[in-house]
Amino acid sequence: MWRLIVCLALLFSGSTANAAGLREPIELFDTDKQRVVASFENTTGFQEEAKQILQSVSGRVLEFNPSLDSAMIVKIPLVPPKPIKLKSANLDAMIAEMFVIMPKKGERRPWLILHTKEYETVVVEFIEKVDDLRKQVKLP
């Protein structure tokens, strides 16, 4: 699973912010096409949606290898990084970017891959609905 997560991270471009302090764009990745299919300006709307999703994290993903097949993935660089604390999952970190994994077929609820400022990767479940995020990235 970790090899897949690392490969996914490498498919997306760059770091959390460039030297000029500008926000890195939001990217929409289609795992069936294996490429970024759209980019969006990293607006306060995206940042607020990311904050809501992070606040709804319920725990770590318990599946050994959650599938990335047939999914849309939204990469959201967080500017500035956002804190997450969840005692039940032994999680206390600053999140630099998040990947919202949205399976196309609805067999599984969406989940997150989080990258911390310390370059750690955390895979978690969340409760927040993704309807608003889907609208922002123009998905049905």
Side-chain angles (χ1 to χ4, degrees):
M1 174 175 98
W2 294 111
R3 185 180 315 165
L4 185 57
I5 291 170
V6 169
C7 290
L8 173 66
L10 293 175
L11 290 173
F12 290 96
S13 62
S15 63
T16 58
N18 65 22
L22 300 175
R23 290 184 178 175
E24 202 179 325
I26 304 299
E27 294 177 329
L28 179 63
F29 183 86
D30 185 326
T31 62
D32 292 334
K33 296 178 182 177
Q34 296 187 8
R35 65 181 175 86
V36 173
V37 294
S39 292
F40 304 91
E41 182 181 348
N42 195 344
T43 63
T44 55
F46 278 112
Q47 293 296 303
E48 283 299 315
E49 188 65 26
K51 182 179 173 184
Q52 293 293 328
I53 290 171
L54 276 178
Q55 289 175 344
S56 77
V57 168
S58 56
R60 293 185 187 261
V61 169
L62 299 178
E63 293 172 58
F64 179 68
N65 192 10
S67 177
L68 290 171
D69 294 334
S70 194
M72 299 302 289
I73 303 172
V74 180
K75 174 189 171 194
I76 306 174
L78 302 176
V79 183
K82 308 271 188 284
I84 186 169
K85 290 184 182 185
L86 191 61
K87 287 184 180 185
S88 64
N90 195 26
L91 184 58
D92 185 359
M94 293 297 287
I95 305 303
E97 62 187 359
M98 61 191 282
F99 297 85
V100 183
I101 317 302
M102 298 180 288
K104 291 180 181 178
K105 297 178 183 167
E107 298 167 357
R108 187 191 196 292
R109 287 192 44 76
W111 52 284
L112 298 174
I113 298 172
L114 305 175
H115 290 172
T116 71
K117 279 183 61 177
E118 293 78 27
Y119 306 104
E120 296 174 315
T121 300
V122 182
V123 183
V124 296
E125 304 277 1
F126 65 97
I127 299 168
E128 184 75 18
K129 302 249 187 235
V130 293
D131 298 342
D132 290 339
L133 180 61
R134 291 180 71 83
K135 287 178 189 172
Q136 288 185 54
V137 296
K138 298 175 175 78
L139 288 175

